Every structure is written in C-alpha cells, then in structure tokens.
C-alpha cells in the first residue's frame, strides 16, 4: 500500500495525539461547566500555515486549559497532554491545529532540499484532512469527540470559519 506524505502525517497525528487525548477530553473539561461543546475542533487551514498561537488571531481569546492527562509514552515517563480552551467571539471551545502540518510548509519553503512545491503542499493538506476524517470516522468509540474544520484561509479567517461551522448546527 502506498501512502502520500499528507496521509502519513494524518495517521501520525491520530496515533501520536488524537487517540490519546480524545477519549478523555470531555472529562478533562469538567471545570468548564457552562461549555456546551466539549469536542476538539481540529482546525486545518488549506494553506498549511499555522499561527504560533490561536489567541493571536482577531476575535480569539485564550480561556485556559483542560486538566492535564499524563501517561507513559515512547520512553517518556508521565508525558503530559493539555488542550487549550478558547473563546471565539464569545463561543467557548477547544481547538487544535495539527503541528505536523508544519512539516509540509517547511518542505515547501525548502524547495532546494525537498523539491516540494506550494501546489503540492495544498494537495497534501487536503489529503491530510481527508485521511484524518477517514481514520476518525472508522473509530466509532471517538464519535462526538471531534470536529474537523478544513477551511480556505485565503478567503476566510479562522474565527469566521469556526463560527460558520457552529452555526451549521454540527456541534
């Protein structure tokens, strides 16, 4: 079976992060009693460009963090996992941007070493999103714990994309 870079990165994100944090996310958000949506919004900008901090974006404020999850993993005793809680124009939710998408943007920036173009980057980000959806949809035990938001960041800002998704009633 062959796998594209984007598809491989999607599986890496799932196996190295999502399958660990998603099962316990709602219970680790217990201090946010008024928070109606305790899903993880997985935000995937089509360009692959990830801001350093979501709360640096207009209309986004950091509200705190989930309770810490600690597990022994990959030779690291008590590895810690927390999720940031944000307010998007008054709507509180948990959001994450897959950090391993930075690998794709780094490859596109270093064409001399990777021979990877901006067009290929966009294609691989799309493959990442599709593969991640396929993986998560096949894990019925994770139903209702996540929302994937692949959006065109050249024409819409993140806060607006999230608010549009919430307005669709898919939460």
């Amino acid at each position: 079976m062959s796998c594209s870079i984007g598809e491989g990165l999607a599986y890496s994100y799932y196996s190295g992060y999502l399958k660990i944090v998603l099962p316990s996310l709602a219970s680790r958000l217990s201090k946010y009693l008024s928070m109606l949506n305790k899903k993880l919004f997985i935000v995937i900008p089509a360009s692959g460009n990830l801001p350093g901090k979501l709360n640096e974006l207009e209309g986004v404020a950091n509200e705190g963090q989930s309770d810490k999850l600690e597990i022994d993993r990959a030779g690291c005793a008590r590895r810690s996992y927390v999720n940031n809680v944000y307010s998007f124009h008054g709507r509180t939710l948990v959001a994450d941007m897959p950090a391993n998408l930075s690998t794709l943007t780094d490859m596109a920036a270093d064409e001399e070493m990777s021979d990877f173009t901006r067009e290929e980057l966009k294609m691989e980000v799309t493959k990442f999103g599709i593969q991640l959806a396929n993986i998560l949809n096949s894990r019925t035990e994770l139903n209702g714990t996540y929302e994937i938001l692949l959006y065109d960041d050249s024409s819409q800002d993140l806060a607006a994309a999230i608010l549009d998704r919430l307005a669709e009633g898919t939460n």
Side-chain angles (χ1 to χ4, degrees):
M1 175 183 145
S2 67
C3 179
S4 76
I5 295 168
E7 292 165 333
L9 289 173
Y11 198 84
S12 174
Y13 180 57
Y14 164 74
S15 67
Y17 181 68
L18 294 176
K19 79 175 187 178
I20 297 165
V21 302
L22 286 178
S24 65
L25 181 62
S27 65
R28 291 183 297 109
L29 293 169
S30 61
K31 62 185 167 190
Y32 296 95
L33 298 175
S34 64
M35 189 173 161
L36 298 177
N37 188 327
K38 294 187 178 180
K39 295 178 184 179
L40 177 64
F41 272 73
I42 302 166
V43 180
I44 304 171
S47 70
N49 293 324
L50 308 175
K53 296 179 183 177
L54 286 177
N55 59 317
E56 292 176 350
L57 301 174
E58 185 176 333
V60 181
N62 192 322
E63 297 293 326
Q65 293 183 326
S66 68
D67 293 336
K68 189 184 313 183
L69 169 65
E70 288 186 340
I71 64 168
D72 296 338
R73 179 145 173 99
C76 180
R78 295 189 349 247
R79 181 171 285 191
S80 296
Y81 296 87
V82 294
N83 296 93
N84 290 314
V85 178
Y86 298 97
S87 174
F88 288 80
H89 295 282
R91 297 289 301 266
T92 304
L93 52 87
V94 182
D96 185 66
M97 298 182 99
N100 58 1
L101 286 178
S102 295
T103 299
L104 296 174
T105 56
D106 290 348
M107 288 174 67
D110 192 3
E111 288 183 37
E112 188 175 301
M113 289 297 291
S114 69
D115 197 29
F116 192 72
T117 66
R118 289 279 168 197
E119 292 77 31
E120 290 169 316
L121 165 69
K122 287 184 136 182
M123 185 175 64
E124 292 300 325
V125 169
T126 300
K127 288 180 181 180
F128 176 97
I130 292 168
Q131 182 67 13
L132 185 61
N134 289 339
I135 293 166
L136 290 172
N137 290 338
S138 73
R139 307 304 194 261
T140 56
E141 70 277 10
L142 298 178
N143 286 351
T145 63
Y146 65 90
E147 184 87 24
I148 297 174
L149 177 59
L150 178 59
Y151 76 104
D152 182 0
D153 53 325
S154 69
S155 64
Q156 186 176 36
D157 69 50
L158 174 59
I162 286 180
L163 291 172
D164 285 352
R165 177 62 62 91
L166 291 171
E168 290 173 7
T170 58
N171 54 359

